[in-house]
Amino acid sequence: MSFELPNDFKCPISLEIMSDPVIIQSGHTFDRISIQRWIDSGNRTCPITKLPLSETPSLIPNHALRSLISNFAHVSPQESSQPQEQEQEHSQSLISTLVSRSSSYESRVESLTRLIRLTKRDSLIRRKITESGAVRAVLDCVDSCNQVLQEKSLSLLLNLSLEDENKVGLVADGVVRRIVAVLRVGSPDCKAIAATLLTSLAVVEVNKATIGSYPDAISALVCLLRLGNDRERKESATALYALCLFADNRKRVVDCGSVSILVEAADSGLERAVEVLGLLVKCRGGREEMSKVNGFVEVLVNVLRNGSLKGIQYSLFILNCLCCCSREIVDEVKREGVVEICFGLEDNESEKIRRNATNLVHTLLGIQ
């Protein structure tokens, strides 16, 4: 049989596997190049729902789905060629083993391992698990002190969260409490998966509010950003970005002392930290904290000179917001040669970079 990837991984426009999945206002995910082409053609409606989009639609990176697509590549074609009917029957047996109180540790681990593989590519099995009431048994495994059970159960929950209808249900079932506990005391791999799971759950707007208001959820992510390894820091920054798309969460993130930690992370090369700062600068508290961090302007200027297109875009935006509020920062930005850098970006391939560079120049030259 031929090797087939899950339909969830395919762009609704191109019908190809997505390399850079992004979410638009309607909540649907598309490959960036396909939806950008749709927008550039003058369309201002969602290709699926036909609901209207804003004049300049935001394309929000779906980091959780991108990670799942990447991980799926490690599943071999031989593993994926099992007939669908046989997989459906086998999944029921695995679910029964997982929920049975009499199942041994070894059999639970084996069931989780196989269900992870199946749910990576089969939407029907993902729904079957949630409809069977097996989520409770998976959550119990997350509560386990056993690292193997914990890591595999988190991986399964991450796969289940691919279904939009599962995202709210998982939060209602108490998954956030488990995630926060893992972020605090779990193994490095478990912490990274837990942060990725938060990112996936936060795709739904109501979950952004619920997670953000949950005690210690944001502070646990900030702590992971400060103390974690490279993978943990990247996943925690991604989760913070997803949560900060909800305006009320920005003050919460700032109040956890995140700004200086994000600046340090950005200085070490974690550009996702710059993206989070690009959201925090929209709130007054965020701007105030950024203005207190020594060397912050220098960090952003370094991104302007050496960063990716996304990093440059956000750095320009942050600098413009700060310059609009502080004459001292205007003077510092000018001393760093930012005006000249902006002039050099006038022909950049990114329309957002060109626009942000122009706005920053107007701000810098308009303040005498």
Side-chain angles (χ1 to χ4, degrees):
M1 292 181 63
S2 61
F3 178 46
E4 293 186 3
L5 291 165
N7 287 331
D8 305 271
F9 295 172
K10 297 179 181 178
C11 174
I13 297 175
S14 68
L15 302 182
E16 300 291 336
I17 299 301
M18 291 181 278
S19 60
D20 187 8
V22 294
I23 307 164
I24 63 173
Q25 291 166 254
S26 65
H28 290 280
T29 297
F30 302 86
D31 204 16
R32 181 183 296 275
I33 190 170
S34 296
I35 191 63
Q36 190 64 62
R37 188 181 297 117
W38 169 270
I39 293 169
D40 291 345
S41 297
N43 297 295
R44 288 299 180 270
T45 58
C46 170
I48 294 177
T49 65
K50 306 305 178 186
L51 292 173
L53 303 176
S54 62
E55 186 58 32
T56 56
S58 297
L59 304 182
I60 303 167
N62 192 335
H63 296 298
L65 179 56
R66 184 171 185 171
S67 177
L68 286 169
I69 293 173
S70 176
N71 291 337
F72 186 85
H74 294 96
V75 181
S76 68
Q78 289 77 16
E79 289 175 329
S80 302
S81 61
Q82 188 177 18
Q84 188 173 13
E85 297 80 2
Q86 186 178 345
E87 288 186 348
Q88 293 288 337
E89 293 176 4
H90 187 45
S91 67
Q92 185 56 57
S93 173
L94 295 173
I95 292 171
S96 298
T97 300
L98 185 60
V99 301
S100 174
R101 293 185 178 275
S102 62
S103 296
S104 66
Y105 163 76
E106 291 78 10
S107 61
R108 287 191 180 188
V109 170
E110 179 65 17
S111 294
L112 285 168
T113 301
R114 296 192 177 191
L115 285 171
I116 290 169
R117 186 181 305 127
L118 293 173
T119 53
K120 275 184 178 180
R121 60 181 181 271
D122 197 323
S123 176
L124 292 176
I125 294 179
R126 291 197 290 268
R127 293 170 186 160
K128 187 174 184 178
I129 291 174
T130 54
E131 292 169 359
S132 70
V135 169
R136 179 59 56 184
V138 183
L139 291 174
D140 289 341
C141 291
V142 177
D143 287 332
S144 170
C145 295
N146 183 281
Q147 180 180 330
V148 175
L149 272 179
Q150 194 171 78
E151 182 176 340
K152 289 187 178 296
S153 56
L154 285 167
S155 296
L156 179 55
L157 289 170
L158 180 57
N159 288 352
L160 295 180
S161 72
L162 272 174
E163 302 294 321
D164 286 345
E165 56 265 35
N166 287 347
K167 297 181 191 295
V168 175
L170 288 171
V171 170
D173 286 337
V175 72
V176 177
R177 175 177 67 80
R178 273 85 170 186
I179 291 174
V180 172
V182 172
L183 290 174
R184 289 296 190 190
V185 298
S187 69
D189 285 342
C190 287
K191 288 179 179 179
I193 298 170
T196 306
L197 178 53
L198 276 186
T199 302
S200 179
L201 296 173
V203 168
V204 179
E205 200 70 14
V206 66
N207 282 353
K208 290 183 178 70
T210 303
I211 296 169
S213 61
Y214 192 91
D216 293 334
I218 288 177
S219 61
L221 287 171
V222 173
C223 184
L224 188 62
L225 179 65
R226 181 169 64 91
L227 301 175
N229 60 32
D230 287 349
R231 181 188 176 198
E232 291 171 299
R233 292 166 70 235
K234 179 180 178 181
E235 296 300 341
S236 62
T238 301
L240 287 170
Y241 179 87
L243 292 172
C244 286
L245 291 170
F246 182 68
D248 290 355
N249 284 336
R250 294 167 192 165
K251 183 178 185 302
R252 295 175 177 133
V253 172
V254 171
D255 290 345
C256 285
S258 65
V259 170
S260 60
I261 297 170
L262 286 163
V263 174
E264 183 179 348
D267 192 30
S268 69
L270 183 61
E271 283 201 357
R272 195 145 299 158
V274 180
E275 297 177 26
V276 181
L277 290 165
L279 295 177
L280 297 184
V281 77
K282 296 180 180 181
C283 72
R284 180 178 178 180
R287 293 190 295 273
E288 291 175 349
E289 289 301 312
M290 289 176 205
S291 65
K292 298 176 185 177
V293 179
N294 291 329
F296 181 38
V297 170
E298 184 179 346
V299 170
L300 294 180
V301 172
N302 184 55
V303 176
L304 291 182
R305 291 195 170 107
N306 305 302
S308 67
L309 292 179
K310 182 70 71 173
I312 293 171
Q313 172 193 321
Y314 275 95
S315 295
L316 289 168
F317 178 76
I318 296 168
L319 287 172
N320 190 42
C321 290
L322 295 177
C323 287
C324 287
C325 303
S326 169
R327 177 59 187 266
E328 291 183 2
I329 294 180
V330 168
D331 293 339
E332 184 178 358
V333 169
K334 286 182 176 179
R335 287 195 300 270
E336 290 288 341
V338 171
V339 173
E340 292 76 12
I341 294 175
C342 288
F343 285 146
L345 294 171
E346 287 181 344
D347 297 324
N348 191 275
E349 62 188 83
S350 168
E351 187 273 334
K352 289 184 178 180
I353 287 179
R354 296 196 302 271
R355 183 174 68 244
N356 287 355
T358 299
N359 291 340
L360 181 53
V361 168
H362 288 168
T363 299
L364 293 173
L365 300 183
I367 300 178
Q368 302 300 326

